[in-house]
Amino acid sequence: MNVVIIGCGVVGAAIAYELSLVKGLKITVCDRQPPAQASTGAALGVLMGAISQKIKGKAWQMRQTSIQRYETLIPELEALTGRKIPFNRQGILMLLSDSSLEVMSAWEKLVEIRHSQGWHLEIWDTAKLQNICPQVDCEKITGAVYSPQDRQLDPTALTLALVEAAQQNGVTFKFGVTVLDAQTSPPESSSQFCVQLETTEGKIGADWFVVAAGLGSTPLTAKLNQIIDIRPVLGQALQMRVGHPLGNPDFQPVITGNDVHIVPVGGTDYWIGATVEFPCNGNEIPPNQELLESVREQAIAFCPELATATILRTWSGLRPRPEGRPAPVIGKLPGFSNILLATGHYRNGVLLAPATAYAIREMISDRAVASR
């Protein structure tokens, strides 16, 4: 069975690797640019699972599946490829600036729920926070929630390892290839069949097409007269060098507060981000320097030692946000029996990539079994 995946960010690469473990599939991945560009290359790779407010349904199930899968996936990929994937196992520390009864009882309830689900969360008072993470020095902080089982990883290193491992398993990757058009069968009853794609490298036929192209999914689905409307949201971040580790060198969790992340990335470097910038008119979003500066100032307010840090680089990327529907968009393209969507992950592409790959594998495997 032939499967074509369009898009090779972290989601497309994860699907390719997951499907490469299934016998009897011939997989091709196309992207108009090299792997891990676009939103993947700009992401901070903070995996907020247990510490998220999602507690039931698909939203929680996907987070749980992914966090669990990463524990086996990272060593698996490192062994297969010999690549090192930076993977911070020291958890996520969320700073609190509101210690009202209402807020604290909501966190206590989440701690109980997570405990019943087999996950661990801790609520720290200011004394414990000061003792364990002395780099946090902000009088507005009233405590913290620590999630030892949540993680952070390098999204580019992960994606390149997924590509290499999938290649070892026989997946073909075609970069610099643009989809120009799609050829479909006449509609039978309510659903059509996509026969082949016309690309800058010729025609590509398949039994299944998986659209994992982020913002590129909108023009692609427009060619099939079934527009999935995905809009860009800009995020900016910066890398800073402090000259020494913040706080205890042996305990370097991701620190997050008020949607600002301070991410240790080895040595004395930290990623700080990210802004959330919506388009004003059309889809153009010029990066707002003031917003990036406000993120930096917020990080300094939490960890004053960052004030003297050197800015090594700044960068930005566009996140794919579905318009008028929840993220992500996973499932069949309406009106088509053999086009699957795995797109529009907005700010959770890296977090949800393994669970998305499982979901796509199930859809393809179920149909393969049914057609035998």
Side-chain angles (χ1 to χ4, degrees):
M1 191 184 286
N2 285 314
V3 181
V4 168
I5 300 162
I6 303 133
C8 195
V10 67
V11 172
I15 293 167
Y17 176 67
E18 193 57 49
L19 291 181
S20 77
L21 305 175
V22 178
K23 285 194 166 46
L25 296 183
K26 183 168 181 282
I27 302 151
T28 305
V29 181
C30 302
D31 199 317
R32 56 195 170 85
Q33 44 191 0
Q37 304 293 303
S39 49
T40 297
L44 299 178
V46 178
L47 311 177
M48 299 178 91
I51 208 163
S52 79
Q53 301 294 331
K54 311 286 185 193
I55 53 172
K56 58 179 195 284
K58 198 171 166 188
W60 162 245
Q61 205 49 57
M62 285 189 75
R63 282 172 191 250
Q64 176 167 256
T65 298
S66 281
I67 293 281
Q68 289 169 333
R69 174 60 174 136
Y70 271 127
E71 293 303 309
T72 57
L73 181 63
I74 300 297
E76 194 176 297
L77 292 173
E78 288 185 334
L80 270 170
T81 64
R83 286 174 176 268
K84 184 86 190 85
I85 303 167
F87 187 50
N88 187 342
R89 292 182 170 84
Q90 298 193 330
I92 295 177
L93 183 71
M94 185 177 284
L95 305 177
L96 305 179
S97 53
D98 182 349
S99 57
S100 65
L101 209 56
E102 196 183 346
V103 167
M104 295 317 291
S105 68
W107 279 111
E108 280 157 14
K109 190 176 175 202
L110 185 66
V111 170
E112 281 174 29
I113 290 167
R114 290 291 182 249
H115 186 73
S116 72
Q117 293 169 331
W119 296 84
H120 185 64
L121 279 183
E122 299 169 13
I123 296 175
W124 293 1
D125 59 17
T126 48
K128 184 166 186 178
L129 176 61
Q130 190 58 43
N131 185 36
I132 299 176
C133 290
Q135 69 267 41
V136 177
D137 184 9
C138 175
E139 51 199 38
K140 288 184 183 161
I141 299 303
T142 56
V145 178
Y146 177 57
S147 177
Q149 291 158 295
D150 283 333
R151 303 283 182 254
Q152 183 273 335
L153 52 77
D154 184 314
T156 300
L158 167 68
T159 305
L160 296 177
L162 286 164
V163 168
E164 192 175 317
Q167 276 173 326
Q168 286 183 23
N169 291 345
V171 175
T172 302
F173 287 85
K174 296 178 179 231
F175 299 114
V177 174
T178 304
V179 177
L180 303 171
D181 208 353
Q183 190 185 335
T184 59
S185 67
E188 297 168 19
S189 67
S190 62
S191 79
Q192 281 180 285
F193 191 82
C194 181
V195 183
Q196 61 186 13
L197 298 177
E198 288 181 32
T199 76
T200 46
E201 259 205 11
K203 294 182 165 70
I204 302 178
D207 302 291
W208 286 101
F209 295 91
V210 182
V211 178
L215 288 164
S217 306
T218 301
L220 201 58
T221 54
K223 295 183 200 313
L224 299 155
N225 299 316
Q226 287 286 352
I227 292 189
I228 301 299
D229 190 3
I230 296 175
R231 310 269 177 97
V233 178
L234 185 85
Q236 298 184 75
L238 30 89
Q239 181 165 341
M240 299 176 78
R241 179 160 293 165
V242 185
H244 58 269
L246 296 174
N248 178 352
D250 298 324
F251 182 61
Q252 293 283 305
V254 171
I255 295 175
T256 183
N258 196 25
D259 210 19
V260 169
H261 302 309
I262 301 168
V263 181
V265 287
T268 67
D269 288 7
Y270 294 82
W271 287 345
I272 312 291
T275 64
V276 179
E277 304 172 49
F278 292 87
C280 302
N281 41 15
N283 277 347
E284 287 299 305
I285 320 174
N288 182 327
Q289 288 313 116
E290 286 172 18
L291 284 178
L292 183 60
E293 180 55 24
S294 72
V295 165
R296 189 180 80 94
E297 285 168 5
Q298 178 81 82
I300 290 169
F302 295 149
C303 298
E305 288 169 89
L306 288 169
T308 57
T310 309
I311 298 172
L312 297 183
R313 65 180 179 118
T314 64
W315 70 93
S316 66
L318 296 172
R319 312 173 180 101
R321 180 176 179 267
E323 184 67 20
R325 64 192 288 176
V329 181
I330 299 171
K332 275 193 184 162
L333 179 67
F336 285 87
S337 59
N338 71 328
I339 300 178
L340 299 177
L341 300 166
T343 189
H345 287 71
Y346 189 27
R347 300 177 73 185
N348 288 314
V350 183
L351 171 60
L352 299 179
T356 303
Y358 275 157
I360 295 296
R361 188 186 73 181
E362 272 175 30
M363 290 175 207
I364 288 176
S365 301
D366 288 354
R367 179 58 66 90
V369 169
S371 63
R372 274 178 199 153

